[in-house]
C-alpha cells in the first residue's frame, strides 16, 4: 500500500491529519426552525473532532428557507446565521479537524415547503411530497446567487472547504437529470448549465486556495435514470468550471426500479475509482465503509483519496481513533485526547 488511511493529505490549502471524512448527515435538530446551529450541533460535531476525524462535513445547509428538506434543517440564507456557524467551526478546529460545509437546496424534495420549486413540474414519488412549481429562468438565475451568498457566509464562518450537494435528488441533481429536467430554456438545453453557473459563482466567494468539493450521484436507480457515462459528462463540465474534488455517491432521485443499489460494504467504491481514473481528480468514496480494514483498502488500492464514514460515526463519535488503533497506529499518533488516554 503506497498510502494509508491515517496518512496525511493535502490539496491546495486544505491540510488533513488523516484521510477520514465524516460524511454529511442531516440531524433534523434545529428545534427553533430558524436554520441556526444549536447545542445539539455543537456537541455532535465537536465530539467527532475530539474523536480524531480528519475532515468533518457539516450536514446539508440550505440557501433559502423553502430549500430545506424539513423546517428542522440547517440554513445559511442570512448573515444572522454566521456567528453560530463560526462557533461550531471554531470548536472543531480546536480539536484538530478541518471543516467543510455542504451547501444545498432540496428543490422538489422540500417536504415542509408550501410549494416546492424544481426545474420542472415533476413530483417526487410518495405521500410526503407536494407537486413542485417550475422555476422561471429569472428565478434560476437568482438561485445561483443564493448559492453564492451562502458560500460567502460559510467562508466568513471560517470553513476550510465548500461542498456543493449535486447528489441524492436535490436541486443541482434535478437540473442535470433527464428524469427531472424537462425545461425548454437554456437550463434544459444544457443539463450542466445550472451547476456550472453555481460553481463559477461560488468560486468567486472562496479563497483561491480553498477546495471546492461536489457530491454527485454516479448513477440513478429509477427506471429510465442516467448511467455513469452521463454523470462523467456532467462532472467534466463541473470540473472545468472549478470543482476540485468529487464526493461519489449514487441514487436519491426516486424509488429504485429494475436496477438496485448494492447496499453492501463498498458498493459505491467502483464509481469513485472510475471518476478518479477518468477525470484525474481527487475523490471521496462513501457508502457503508464503516470497517477500518475496508476503509484502509480503499485508500491503499488507489480507489479514492479520502474515505467518508456516515453511520459508523453516528454510532461512534471516536470512530477515527478506534480505527487507527485497530489498524496498528500507535496510541500516541492516533490523536486520542489526553483526557481520554487512560481508557486505552
Amino acid at each position: 500500500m503506497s498510502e494509508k488511511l491515517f496518512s496525511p493529505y493535502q490539496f491546495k490549502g486544505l491540510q488533513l491529519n488523516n484521510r477520514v471524512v465524516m460524511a454529511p448527515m442531516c440531524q433534523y435538530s434545529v428545534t427553533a426552525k430558524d436554520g441556526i446551529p444549536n447545542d445539539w450541533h455543537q456537541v455532535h460535531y465537536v465530539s467527532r473532532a475530539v474523536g480524531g476525524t480528519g475532515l468533518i462535513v457539516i450536514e446539508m445547509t440550505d440557501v433559502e428557507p423553502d430549500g430545506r428538506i424539513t423546517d428542522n434543517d440547517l440554513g445559511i440564507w442570512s448573515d444572522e446565521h454566521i456567528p453560530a456557524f463560526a462557533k461550531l467551526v471554531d470548536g472543531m478546529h480546536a480539536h484538530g479537524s478541518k471543516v467543510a460545509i455542504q451547501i444545498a437546496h432540496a428543490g422538489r424534495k422540500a417536504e415542509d415547503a408550501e410549494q416546492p420549486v424544481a426545474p420542472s413540474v415533476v413530483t417526487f414519488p410518495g405521500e410526503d411530497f407536494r407537486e413542485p412549481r417550475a422555476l422561471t429562468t429569472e428565478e434560476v438565475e437568482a438561485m445561483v446567487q443564493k448559492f453564492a451568498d451562502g458560500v460567502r457566509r460559510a467562508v466568513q464562518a471560517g470553513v476550510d472547504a465548500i461542498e456543493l450537494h449535486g447528489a441524492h435528488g436535490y436541486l443541482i441533481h434535478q437540473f442535470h437529470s433527464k428524469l427531472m429536467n424537462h425545461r425548454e430554456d437554456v437550463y434544459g438545453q444544457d443539463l450542466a448549465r445550472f451547476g456550472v453557473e453555481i460553481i463559477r459563482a461560488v468560486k468567486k466567494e472562496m479563497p483561491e486556495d480553498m477546495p471546492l468539493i461536489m457530491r454527485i450521484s454516479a448513477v440513478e436507480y429509477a427506471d429510465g435514470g442516467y448511467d455513469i457515462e452521463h454523470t462523467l459528462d456532467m462532472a467534466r463540465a463541473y470540473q472545468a468550471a472549478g470543482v476540485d474534488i468529487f464526493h461519489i455517491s449514487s441514487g436519491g432521485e426516486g424509488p429504485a426500479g429494475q436496477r438496485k443499489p448494492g447496499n453492501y460494504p463498498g458498493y459505491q467504491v467502483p464509481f469513485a475509482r472510475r471518476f478518479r481514473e477518468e477525470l484525474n481528480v481527487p475523490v471521496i468514496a462513501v457508502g457503508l465503509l464503516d470497517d477500518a480494514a475496508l476503509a484502509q483498502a480503499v485508500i491503499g488500492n488507489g480507489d479514492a483519496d479520502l474515505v467518508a464514514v456516515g453511520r459508523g460515526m453516528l454510532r461512534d463519535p471516536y470512530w477515527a481513533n478506534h480505527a487507527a488503533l485497530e489498524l496498528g497506529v500507535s496510541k500516541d499518533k492516533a490523536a486520542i485526547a489526553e483526557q481520554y488516554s487512560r481508557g486505552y
Side-chain angles (χ1 to χ4, degrees):
M1 291 185 179
S2 60
E3 300 291 351
K4 296 183 182 296
L5 186 63
F6 288 92
S7 60
Y9 181 76
Q10 179 173 356
F11 186 85
K12 298 178 78 171
L14 180 67
Q15 299 183 39
L16 305 179
N17 294 329
N18 57 57
R19 295 162 184 258
V20 177
V21 178
M22 178 180 169
M25 295 173 286
C26 289
Q27 296 297 290
Y28 305 110
S29 295
V30 184
T31 51
K33 300 186 178 182
D34 56 6
I36 297 175
N38 56 32
D39 288 347
W40 174 266
H41 301 92
Q42 198 74 25
V43 171
H44 172 66
Y45 286 107
V46 175
S47 63
R48 274 69 185 176
V50 173
T53 308
L55 176 66
I56 296 174
V57 186
I58 297 173
E59 67 200 78
M60 181 171 170
T61 303
D62 300 292
V63 299
E64 66 175 5
D66 281 347
R68 294 172 290 179
I69 303 171
T70 77
D71 287 348
N72 294 309
D73 292 350
L74 292 177
I76 199 159
W77 60 80
S78 166
D79 288 355
E80 294 177 2
H81 293 91
I82 296 173
F85 277 107
K87 178 183 176 183
L88 186 60
V89 172
D90 287 347
M92 288 182 271
H93 282 165
H95 297 284
S97 292
K98 297 300 174 66
V99 182
I101 185 170
Q102 187 181 74
I103 304 296
H105 190 293
R108 70 176 189 158
K109 293 179 78 174
E111 297 176 26
D112 288 342
E114 186 173 343
Q115 184 172 40
V117 296
S120 304
V121 183
V122 182
T123 307
F124 190 87
E127 61 183 18
D128 292 333
F129 300 95
R130 299 179 176 90
E131 181 179 274
R133 175 181 64 80
L135 291 161
T136 67
T137 302
E138 293 73 22
E139 286 174 328
V140 176
E141 294 168 351
M143 187 68 72
V144 170
Q145 185 59 47
K146 290 178 182 180
F147 273 83
D149 291 340
V151 167
R152 172 182 56 79
R153 296 178 184 115
V155 170
Q156 287 182 259
V159 301
D160 305 289
I162 298 294
E163 178 171 288
L164 294 175
H165 202 344
H168 300 167
Y170 299 117
L171 192 61
I172 295 175
H173 181 176
Q174 290 166 29
F175 269 87
H176 69 226
S177 170
K178 295 178 183 178
L179 284 178
M180 298 174 272
N181 184 349
H182 303 163
R183 302 176 69 91
E184 297 181 355
D185 66 357
V186 291
Y187 294 101
Q189 294 160 12
D190 177 1
L191 297 181
R193 181 171 179 137
F194 180 60
V196 164
E197 289 188 358
I198 288 173
I199 292 160
R200 290 174 176 165
V202 305
K203 291 288 277 193
K204 294 177 181 178
E205 304 294 341
M206 297 168 59
E208 191 172 341
D209 66 345
M210 180 181 287
L212 177 61
I213 306 166
M214 176 178 270
R215 201 174 212 198
I216 196 164
S217 287
V219 300
E220 293 180 330
Y221 297 107
D223 289 337
Y226 63 63
D227 208 335
I228 194 168
E229 302 300 337
H230 174 78
T231 329
L232 285 166
D233 285 343
M234 297 295 102
R236 289 185 184 98
Y238 295 155
Q239 184 182 19
V243 171
D244 297 298
I245 301 171
F246 283 99
H247 188 172
I248 310 302
S249 189
S250 63
E253 73 291 337
Q258 290 187 334
R259 176 164 57 185
K260 309 291 184 186
N263 288 332
Y264 51 80
Y267 75 101
Q268 295 180 145
V269 171
F271 300 145
R273 186 180 185 99
R274 182 87 183 272
F275 269 74
R276 190 173 192 256
E277 291 178 343
E278 294 216 12
L279 302 183
N280 191 29
V281 65
V283 300
I284 305 170
V286 69
L288 303 180
L289 300 177
D290 300 344
D291 180 80
L294 175 58
Q296 173 93 307
V298 169
I299 299 299
N301 292 335
D303 295 317
D305 301 270
L306 302 165
V307 169
V309 177
R311 291 176 178 86
M313 285 204 191
L314 290 180
R315 295 190 295 269
D316 181 5
Y318 312 109
W319 186 95
N321 284 340
H322 296 157
L325 295 174
E326 184 179 334
L327 293 170
V329 177
S330 63
K331 187 172 78 170
D332 62 318
K333 294 183 179 179
I336 294 171
E338 182 180 352
Q339 297 92 326
Y340 293 163
S341 62
R342 287 175 294 171
Y344 293 88

